[in-house]
Amino acid sequence: MPKILMTSVREDEEAAIAAYAQQHQVEIDISRDELHPDNLPDLRQYDGLIVQQTAKIGGDATFYRTLAQQGLQQITTRTAGYDMIEVALAKAAGLKVTNVPAYSPRSVAEMALMQIFRLLRRTWAFDQRVAQHDFRWGGLQAREIHTVTVGIIGAGRIGSTLAQLLHALGARVLAYDINPQPAYESFLTYVDKETLLAESDIVSLHVDLNPSSVGLLNAADFERMPAHAGLVNASRGPVVNTDALITALMSGEIEAAALDTVEGESAVFNHDLRQQGVADQRIQQLLDLPNVIMTPHVAFYTNLAVQNMIDIALDDVLLIIQGQPALHEI
């Protein structure tokens, strides 16, 4: 019977893992911890390895060679992003790398849509007022979604799904993507990044994290955006230059931001920091700003998405163990 180790397992994943193990006759051990070189278990007893984390696993070529020497053929992340794995080093060690590129585009797209509504309705500002027992409306008139332009940077699986939802609601949808898809042009209009920033009331980010997307939005980009514009980031934190974003929010270059992901989040998100507080100064700065809505990287977190992340990741591992091509090898 194949035996697989899954790390960073949450309690809400356990039912799906147990159901898969029973259905496919596979033994699955779980660990609550992330995988790093300093806590690497003895993997010789395992046939497969599945991780889920935003923090880089770390390690050099020796680390990945160790995985292979202990008998593994692959390393899988049950997420769409795979920047936590040094793919080139893993492949050089003879390991296959797989991910789950489409666990549920609707989950993230729906979260982004909700945040777009919150920015347009200025609920962040009403929340601040109501918390202080100030129930006045003055200065917080909202905009209806069919009257605005939403710019989507990264119109892939998630971005295009969001575009369809927005189009159905009557919004004008602009998109910037290095790989335009003619099939999407019935519900969005492709433009260059500068045009998108200048004409959008809300900008929503849905790009992969890779060397070309790090710092994709910087100080000059925020200057191009209208002062009433809002930003939604449901992709990855390093896509936005955090210092530039803080400056733009404090100076009024943009009105507000809804952030489901931020730089340095791995030490903060999914941790209970009520006693010690947030050590990361930039994340604390964002939390202190009245015009920031922050959620702890939960846009993916739905019943369907969690099930798919488990099933698709395990399917690929079993295929590799059986000597067959994985469906989602990077």
Side-chain angles (χ1 to χ4, degrees):
M1 179 184 295
K3 188 175 183 180
I4 297 170
L5 173 65
M6 298 183 72
T7 64
S8 304
V9 173
R10 305 181 308 272
E11 289 185 5
D12 59 90
E13 296 178 298
E14 290 183 14
I17 293 171
Y20 190 99
Q22 182 175 12
Q23 180 181 355
H24 295 271
Q25 295 298 296
V26 57
E27 184 178 352
I28 303 174
D29 284 352
I30 64 173
S31 167
R32 301 288 187 208
D33 300 325
E34 293 185 348
L35 184 74
H36 296 288
D38 59 0
N39 69 348
L40 186 66
D42 185 351
L43 297 170
R44 288 173 291 184
Q45 60 182 308
Y46 297 108
D47 302 293
L49 173 65
I50 299 176
V51 303
Q52 182 183 37
Q53 59 195 65
T54 56
K56 281 191 175 294
I57 290 173
D60 53 17
T62 302
F63 170 73
Y64 291 97
R65 285 198 296 268
T66 299
L67 300 187
Q69 289 165 0
Q70 293 191 1
L72 291 181
Q73 302 177 57
Q74 52 67 234
I75 180 170
T76 290
T77 174
R78 55 190 188 277
T79 58
Y82 50 86
D83 52 283
M84 74 292 294
I85 300 171
E86 297 287 353
V87 176
L89 294 180
K91 288 189 173 184
L95 298 170
K96 298 179 184 297
V97 181
T98 71
N99 69 333
V100 183
Y103 42 81
S104 176
R106 280 291 293 246
S107 64
V108 181
E110 288 180 4
M111 178 76 162
L113 180 61
M114 180 190 75
Q115 301 291 48
I116 289 168
F117 272 117
R118 292 183 73 187
L119 294 178
L120 292 177
R121 301 305 301 235
R122 291 172 157 172
T123 61
W124 54 271
F126 280 112
D127 287 345
Q128 296 280 332
R129 288 189 183 183
V130 171
Q132 300 170 17
H133 293 177
D134 180 355
F135 300 97
R136 293 173 297 171
W137 310 341
L140 297 181
Q141 187 180 82
R143 287 165 287 168
E144 296 183 22
I145 199 162
H146 61 92
T147 69
V148 303
T149 297
V150 179
I152 297 174
I153 297 181
R157 295 180 181 90
I158 294 170
S160 64
T161 300
L162 175 60
Q164 292 179 71
L165 296 174
L166 290 164
H167 177 74
L169 292 166
R172 177 185 179 224
V173 184
L174 303 180
Y176 168 67
D177 196 288
I178 60 174
N179 186 27
Q181 301 294 319
Y184 297 164
E185 293 179 359
S186 62
F187 51 82
L188 59 77
T189 301
Y190 286 105
V191 294
D192 57 48
K193 188 175 83 166
E194 290 72 21
T195 300
L196 183 147
L197 294 171
E199 297 186 10
S200 295
D201 300 290
I202 304 289
V203 173
S204 194
L205 300 174
H206 300 282
V207 297
D208 295 331
L209 181 60
N210 57 65
S212 67
S213 67
V214 173
L216 186 62
L217 284 192
N218 54 38
D221 295 315
F222 291 122
E223 291 175 2
R224 293 188 179 95
M225 296 171 64
H228 68 265
L231 174 70
V232 175
N233 187 4
S235 58
R236 295 300 294 273
V239 170
V240 179
N241 182 301
T242 304
D243 292 329
L245 173 61
I246 292 171
T247 298
L249 289 164
M250 293 180 66
S251 67
E253 284 181 340
I254 64 173
E255 182 172 85
L259 309 174
D260 189 53
T261 179
V262 294
E263 285 189 280
E265 68 181 52
S266 61
V268 177
F269 288 178
N270 207 26
H271 297 283
D272 184 352
L273 303 179
R274 285 177 291 180
Q275 299 300 319
Q276 63 268 48
V278 175
D280 190 296
Q281 293 184 354
R282 291 188 300 177
I283 294 179
Q284 187 60 58
Q285 276 186 283
L286 289 168
L287 289 169
D288 290 340
L289 289 174
N291 51 346
V292 170
I293 302 167
M294 188 178 294
T295 48
H297 208 143
V298 292
F300 78 95
Y301 194 39
T302 66
N303 54 344
L304 181 61
V306 170
Q307 183 74 53
N308 287 341
M309 293 166 92
I310 296 296
D311 291 348
I312 294 170
L314 283 164
D315 283 347
D316 277 338
V317 175
L318 285 185
L319 285 171
I320 292 171
I321 291 173
Q322 295 163 3
Q324 301 178 49
L327 299 179
H328 307 101
E329 183 175 353
I330 298 162

